[in-house]
Amino acid sequence: DNIVQDAEEIRDALLVPSEAVQDDEPRPWGAALGQSFGGFCMMTYLSQVAHPPKICLLTGGIAPMLTPVYDAYDMLWDRVKERSLRYYEMYPGDIQVVKKIVERLLYEPPILPSGGKLTARRFLQLGLGLGGTPSAFASLHRLFSTAFLTNDDHDGKPEFTRAFLKHIDSAQSFDDHPIYFLLHESIYADGPQNSPTQWAAHRVYEDRVKTPSEFDYKLTSHLPS
């Protein structure tokens, strides 16, 4: 809400006085583009401001209005499943590769070049790419194909390539952008009935894996392909 109010203040400050326009005549922005969180801001603009931008373009980030954040994340898991199955239909050989990576990470998480630790759960965050285009699928496939130095295990522990670890380091920049990490879920706090979110994404996952579940990576990584 405050972002939209600030945008209105900025608009008033930037407008040049015009004799052809009456003082009380609305002068909204000509156009605005909402991408990702910007889409949330755009929807706030349209719902709260009397004279929003004349043209509003949304390229992503449609807020789940009147939907509790827990429900939104719960539905997201089904979407993740659908996208995962679509990926493995395109690259069926990666099923075994991903399981091998997860098993190795569960056994001994390696240290990333930046000093962080690559856990199995952190590795699976690469699934963010499943929400992209087919080219994003191809990028994930290329990354998985470079995961290990050789196909032969060393003392039962396959070694990761430095290129693989560096890629994950650069792909997950939460330590460089802590505000994104900390405040991401709060944008789903839709009014007093859905606030605070109380770490809804984590709660949904924990509820999903209370019983043996296809969403439990510790279980599925040991199942035969």
Side-chain angles (χ1 to χ4, degrees), residues 75-177:
M75 290 184 286
L76 176 62
W77 277 105
D78 294 325
R79 179 64 170 165
V80 170
K81 174 183 176 180
E82 184 271 326
R83 295 296 290 182
S84 297
L85 292 175
R86 184 174 299 184
Y87 175 85
Y88 288 128
E89 286 176 0
M90 187 175 295
Y91 301 106
D94 283 356
I95 296 175
Q96 190 58 41
V97 174
V98 170
K99 286 184 175 182
K100 185 176 180 179
I101 293 173
V102 171
E103 287 180 344
R104 174 65 175 85
L105 295 175
L106 288 172
Y107 177 79
E108 185 181 16
I111 302 300
L112 293 169
S114 65
K117 183 180 292 186
L118 178 58
T119 63
R121 194 160 182 171
R122 179 171 180 175
F123 162 72
L124 293 172
Q125 290 178 2
L126 293 174
L128 286 168
L130 296 175
T133 63
S135 63
F137 282 23
S139 297
L140 275 178
H141 174 64
R142 286 194 299 271
L143 175 63
F144 297 155
S145 67
T146 65
F148 298 110
L149 287 173
T150 65
N151 291 326
D152 297 326
D153 296 353
H154 177 67
D155 295 331
K157 298 184 295 182
E159 295 296 321
F160 291 110
T161 65
R162 182 171 176 81
F164 174 76
L165 299 177
K166 285 183 65 177
H167 180 95
I168 294 180
D169 231 355
S170 61
Q172 298 176 336
S173 56
F174 296 133
D175 53 344
D176 293 331
H177 307 285

Side-chain angles (χ1 to χ4, degrees), residues 69 185-189 194-201 203:
V69 61
E185 183 173 295
S186 65
I187 67 175
Y188 292 93
N194 295 318
S195 303
T197 63
Q198 298 178 329
W199 304 107
R203 289 190 290 114

Side-chain angles (χ1 to χ4, degrees), residues 12-25:
D12 291 340
L14 293 177
L15 284 176
V16 177
S18 173
E19 296 180 356
V21 179
Q22 299 294 327
D23 291 340
D24 59 349
E25 184 176 343

Side-chain angles (χ1 to χ4, degrees), residues 57-70:
L57 304 173
L58 288 90
T59 58
I62 306 298
M65 295 183 294
L66 304 178
T67 302
V69 61
Y70 184 97

Side-chain angles (χ1 to χ4, degrees), residues 4-42:
V4 170
Q5 294 172 14
D6 289 345
E8 285 291 279
E9 294 293 331
I10 294 172
R11 177 186 57 79
D12 291 340
L14 293 177
L15 284 176
V16 177
S18 173
E19 296 180 356
V21 179
Q22 299 294 327
D23 291 340
D24 59 349
E25 184 176 343
R27 298 178 66 185
W29 294 102
L33 172 66
Q35 161 62 24
S36 190
F37 175 60
F40 283 58
C41 297
M42 191 75 67

